[in-house]
Amino acid sequence: MTNTHETTPVIPLPEAGARLATTVGAIATLASTFLAWTWTDEFPGDLTVTGYPGGLQVITLVGAALTLLFALAGHGVRGLGWLNPARSNNAPLLIALGTFGTTWYTIIAIAQELGGIANLEPGGFVAAAASLITLLAALGLPLHRDTDPASSGLKKALATVFGIGGTKLARPKALPSWAQILVIAAAFAIGLFVASYGLQAESEQFVGFLILAAFGVASLSRSGLSARLKALTTEHRKVTVIAAFAAAAAFPFTQNTDEFTLLAVSILIFATVALGLNVVVGLAGLLDLGYVAFLGVGAYTAALVSGSTASTFGVHLPFWAAALTGAAASLIFGVLIGAPTLRLRGDYLAIVTLGFGEIFRITMGNLDGTSGPSVTNGPNGVPNIPDLKFFGYDFGAEHTIGGFTLGSYANYFWLMLLCTALVVTIFARAGSSRIGRAWVAIREDETAATAMGINGFRVKLIAFALGATLAGLAGTVQAHVQHTVVPEMYVFAGPVPPSSAFLLAAVILGGMGTITGPLLGATLLYVIPTKLQFLNDYQLLFFGLALILLMRFRPEGVVANKRQQLEYHENDPIDVPEPRQSEETGAGIAKAGA
């Protein structure tokens, strides 16, 4: 009788030694976070307390704990196999690298800001040495290497460590439906906690958070946990949508002040506009460099009809009417601009849309009663936009819900969350519809699509008008959130988003043609410049370097569209699953042969 039970694999002695050293180093790194790293509390986070980690020590603590768990999972500790279903040694290496980067960044920052390594306490030296030992030990683990003969040099090295290629997973144990739903809910709860922590982190602490988060995401991907979670969310789509919306809606309850809630509202506005641009660029393939102007059209329209004391119209419409008016105005402008220009292609269309964006900004600055008609107050814009009042609910007042006192921006956060959900639904429905398939056909080859009977001009005009409408809708909320609208808010390229350049970068960085891609890209491009303001003029330098590296090694974006991923990696090998052999299949084959 054949034994069907799996046997515990025998780990070679060098690998066992490397795992043991990684485990010991992770424990030492974890213990070092309970020691004082510096003697003064002038460094952000107060790293002077012994017995209680604070600031960047907490991030090192989390990284060391994850490294320890991955190392124990590699040792075959019962109950931890789920942590590394791919059985990859790259996962502990990546998280150890992230922990090392965070720890050494902290030590260097302390020495630089306080004036030398003399400001370090023994705990800082212990943390630096322990994290280095952990990383060196993790480097001794045999890695899962890229076997593609066409890959070479840096690309092959990155594919080896970060797992650009596919990841083979061990067959998981079947979980009951209720357990799968709990896993999905827990994943979104953890995501909410991590996002809240990252938004509240100070500048130095945010850099450490960013380092560990980047390597942590890579390690989860390499371990196979991301693929497992994606399979669960695909199987339970409705539960996933509900859990995602509930986690996002719970964000204001995790905040003590309105500071970071306002940041979250701005992120949602930027992400919604980026998703609207994704209709134009990602689906229809139209390069629009003046898209932020449609956001301005919606914002200015809402500002002028919402009862502002500076409005020249003297109209005060309810919000739903102001929102519809702003969206309709953006739609009209989209059709008026698109009708004479969408017969152009490529660079010519990009130049025309860039000109439209600049014309809009200059025109809004000239409608001041001196250079032109008195409509927008010129460079002063439209200030004193009142808070929304929707069915008696004052968005500008604090409200108590379940014992939590929430500020005014929590109300705008929920309103913008509903707008984002509406835009996501429209994008998903339009992308999978007949017109959406026509957009993709135009994007891939307009000549071939036209030859097959698709009216290219009409299809592109619909995409342009829909994208403009979605941007205008987001603009109506932006006007009430910021209580003022000025022309300088709608430029082609500025130090802080939203701008046309940042919107386009968010779509490309996140992944054209996807839903989560632009949302993720917009979040990163808004949060990182806001948190790293101490870099001043170097922000754009690092931003440019990041874009260069991304376009070189992952041109399809962070969240890749499958079609474009195949196009960009058409020479990469495809993992073909091996057929499973068992007694039943063998008996079936024998019976068929007989």
Side-chain angles (χ1 to χ4, degrees):
M1 183 177 179
T2 305
N3 184 13
T4 59
H5 294 284
E6 295 183 358
T7 59
T8 303
V10 179
I11 302 177
L13 186 59
E15 181 179 350
R19 290 189 185 279
L20 179 60
T22 304
T23 304
V24 174
I27 294 175
T29 305
L30 191 150
S32 70
T33 61
F34 292 90
L35 303 175
W37 286 12
T38 183
W39 62 273
T40 174
D41 59 358
E42 292 182 4
F43 188 82
D46 191 7
L47 310 184
T48 63
V49 181
T50 298
Y52 186 82
L56 283 161
Q57 288 176 324
V58 175
I59 301 177
T60 297
L61 171 65
V62 173
L66 290 176
T67 305
L68 177 61
L69 290 175
F70 276 118
L72 293 176
H75 275 300
V77 176
R78 184 179 296 274
L80 292 179
W82 60 270
L83 192 62
N84 193 359
R87 298 169 185 166
S88 170
N89 291 329
N90 304 55
L93 170 60
L94 286 168
I95 197 64
L97 185 58
T99 307
F100 169 81
T102 300
T103 305
W104 278 72
Y105 160 76
T106 306
I107 300 303
I108 294 173
I110 292 174
Q112 192 273 331
E113 291 190 16
L114 301 182
I117 61 174
N119 295 281
L120 291 173
E121 289 290 312
F125 293 103
V126 172
S131 61
L132 177 60
I133 292 173
T134 306
L135 176 61
L136 294 176
L139 287 171
L141 298 173
L143 302 180
H144 294 154
R145 302 190 177 276
D146 181 23
T147 57
D148 180 14
S151 300
S152 60
L154 182 59
K155 183 175 181 179
K156 185 171 183 178
L158 290 175
T160 297
V161 177
F162 291 94
I164 294 176
T167 301
K168 295 182 179 180
L169 303 181
R171 180 170 293 276
K173 294 182 179 179
L175 293 176
S177 297
W178 63 266
Q180 295 178 5
I181 294 174
L182 285 180
V183 170
I184 295 174
F188 280 103
I190 294 173
L192 173 63
F193 174 79
V194 172
S196 301
Y197 183 88
L199 287 180
Q200 296 180 26
E202 299 179 7
S203 296
E204 292 84 355
Q205 191 174 349
F206 181 77
V207 174
F209 169 81
L210 201 61
I211 294 173
L212 186 64
F215 285 98
V217 170
S219 65
L220 292 178
S221 175
R222 202 62 175 139
S223 67
L225 276 179
S226 299
R228 286 281 172 82
L229 182 61
K230 183 178 180 180
L232 290 179
T233 55
T234 302
E235 184 177 354
H236 302 279
R237 290 185 179 274
K238 293 183 179 180
V239 174
T240 301
V241 172
I242 295 174
F245 190 83
F251 174 79
F253 293 98
T254 64
Q255 306 299 308
N256 296 324
T257 64
D258 262 358
E259 178 183 0
F260 301 109
T261 307
L262 173 59
L263 178 60
V265 175
S266 302
I267 291 172
L268 283 178
I269 293 173
F270 187 41
T272 302
V273 180
L275 195 58
L277 179 60
N278 198 26
V279 174
V280 181
V281 177
L283 294 181
L286 306 174
L287 185 56
D288 189 348
L289 297 183
Y291 187 74
V292 74
F294 297 119
L295 175 68
V297 170
Y300 263 100
T301 303
L304 292 172
V305 300
S306 295
S308 171
T309 56
S311 174
T312 57
F313 291 170
V315 179
H316 191 179
L317 299 178
F319 171 69
W320 63 268
L324 292 178
T325 304
S330 296
L331 170 63
I332 294 172
F333 270 89
V335 173
L336 292 178
I337 299 302
T341 61
L342 286 180
R343 299 187 188 278
L344 301 174
R345 298 186 186 181
D347 300 339
Y348 301 100
L349 178 62
I351 293 173
V352 170
T353 55
L354 174 61
F356 164 66
E358 291 301 298
I359 289 172
F360 169 79
R361 180 180 61 83
I362 296 172
T363 302
M364 294 299 102
N366 288 335
L367 297 180
D368 56 355
T370 301
S371 301
S374 178
V375 179
T376 64
N377 296 320
N380 296 324
V382 184
N384 303 323
I385 302 173
D387 286 305
L388 293 178
K389 291 184 179 179
F390 199 61
F391 291 111
Y393 187 87
D394 188 358
F395 279 65
E398 292 185 349
H399 296 276
T400 301
I401 301 177
F404 292 90
T405 301
L406 302 176
S408 60
Y409 289 117
N411 304 319
Y412 287 107
F413 175 84
W414 286 325
L415 174 63
M416 197 60 225
L417 185 62
L418 291 175
C419 291
T420 304
L422 176 63
V423 173
V424 168
T425 303
I426 293 174
F427 182 90
R429 295 293 184 182
S432 59
S433 66
R434 180 178 180 181
I435 191 68
R437 293 192 295 270
W439 288 336
V440 174
I442 290 292
R443 182 192 68 194
E444 296 299 323
D445 192 331
E446 184 174 352
T447 303
T450 304
M452 296 300 294
I454 295 177
N455 188 332
F457 173 76
R458 174 176 170 272
V459 167
K460 290 191 293 184
L461 186 60
I462 293 175
F464 211 72
L466 178 60
T469 304
L470 298 180
L473 179 63
T476 61
V477 180
Q478 183 198 38
H480 288 88
V481 170
Q482 298 185 348
H483 300 291
T484 185
V485 177
V486 292
E488 287 72 18
M489 296 168 57
Y490 310 103
V491 297
F492 168 71
V496 178
S499 64
S500 293
F502 271 90
L503 286 169
L504 185 61
V507 174
I508 297 175
L509 184 148
M512 293 189 298
T514 64
I515 294 178
T516 55
L519 298 179
L520 177 61
T523 302
L524 294 176
L525 289 184
Y526 200 98
V527 172
I528 293 177
T530 303
K531 289 293 185 179
L532 303 185
Q533 291 181 357
F534 66 94
L535 293 177
N536 298 325
D537 296 336
Y538 292 99
Q539 287 187 21
L540 292 179
L541 173 63
F542 291 119
F543 173 66
L545 291 175
L547 285 182
I548 291 173
L549 293 175
L550 182 71
M551 291 300 100
R552 171 61 182 86
F553 298 107
R554 195 171 177 85
E556 68 274 18
V558 177
V559 181
N561 178 277
K562 291 184 178 180
R563 180 191 298 270
Q564 293 183 336
Q565 190 173 27
L566 291 175
E567 292 176 356
Y568 285 118
H569 300 282
E570 58 183 4
N571 294 326
D572 292 352
I574 300 176
D575 290 333
V576 179
E578 299 178 358
R580 296 174 56 241
Q581 295 287 342
S582 63
E583 294 181 5
E584 290 80 3
T585 56
I589 294 174
K591 183 176 179 181

